[in-house]
Amino acid sequence: MARYLDVHPDNPQPRLLQQIVDALNDDALIAYPTDSGYALGCRIGNRAGRDRILAIRGLDERHHFTLICRDFSQLGQLVHVDNSAFRAIRAATPGPYTFILPAMPEVPRRLMHPKKKTVGVRIPDHTLVRDLLDALGEPLLSSSLILPGETEPRTMGWEIKEELDHQVDIVVEAGETPAEPTTVVDWSSGAPELVRRGAGDPDRFE
């Protein structure tokens, strides 16, 4: 059964954050809130966690995973950001955007799109996520918690606990969570291509 942790949305309790970090370091899979609905997350090195995310979401190997970053400097260590993308992406973060960019060699191949060698990256504007990444000390491998047959991410921790009780290890609750997924922009070809309209203003990339 999944543990259910009720974390303060504005001042996350260090004790609870440490419990989540300890679980992630033990290869746990968590469901956690972001600024665009709930997401599934695990450490980048957690191979089984990656496969569990694919299974829960009913996705195949071509799925673009997202690396959740604490800040822009951390993002820049994972993907190639050329001059044309640098200013636009920096101006849009933190916020509800996912950017698809060419992955650096340090990113495990199993996390990249098999043909494009790209990966999604994002910097959420969410207190819990920021503090969790601070405590973890590394980016989080993640994917929106959109279940098969649905189009929007889940927003209620208790519903996730009921439905995925035996498929995730921790469900984190931290106040209200918007239902709209991120706006996805593919910048891997050197120019922005809008892949999905979501919570982030897409006009700045059109």
Side-chain angles (χ1 to χ4, degrees), residues 1-121:
M1 292 177 59
R3 276 192 287 165
Y4 187 81
L5 298 180
D6 194 354
V7 181
H8 195 283
D10 301 316
N11 297 290
Q13 303 93 319
R15 173 181 57 85
L16 297 181
L17 288 174
Q18 191 58 51
Q19 288 183 30
I20 301 169
V21 168
D22 290 344
L24 287 168
N25 285 328
D26 285 337
D27 287 344
L29 177 64
I30 68 171
Y32 68 101
T34 75
D35 55 350
S36 60
Y38 264 79
L40 297 166
C42 66
R43 288 187 64 236
I44 289 176
N46 185 350
R47 293 171 178 262
R50 167 198 176 275
D51 295 341
R52 291 168 69 187
I53 291 173
L54 292 177
I56 290 170
R57 292 206 50 197
L59 299 169
D60 61 24
E61 299 288 332
R62 293 168 295 178
H63 173 63
H64 259 115
F65 280 96
T66 300
L67 302 178
I68 305 293
C69 301
R70 170 66 176 82
D71 51 31
F72 195 84
S73 63
Q74 192 175 67
L75 181 150
Q77 296 172 12
L78 300 169
V79 290
H80 293 280
V81 184
D82 63 22
N83 291 334
S84 65
F86 180 89
R87 287 185 180 178
I89 294 176
R90 182 145 194 171
T93 56
Y97 295 92
T98 300
F99 300 100
I100 298 171
L101 289 157
M104 291 286 203
E106 293 80 5
V107 176
R109 292 177 66 89
R110 66 182 179 278
L111 306 184
M112 304 179 195
H113 188 283
K115 292 184 178 179
K116 298 180 180 180
K117 301 297 181 280
T118 50
V119 70
V121 287

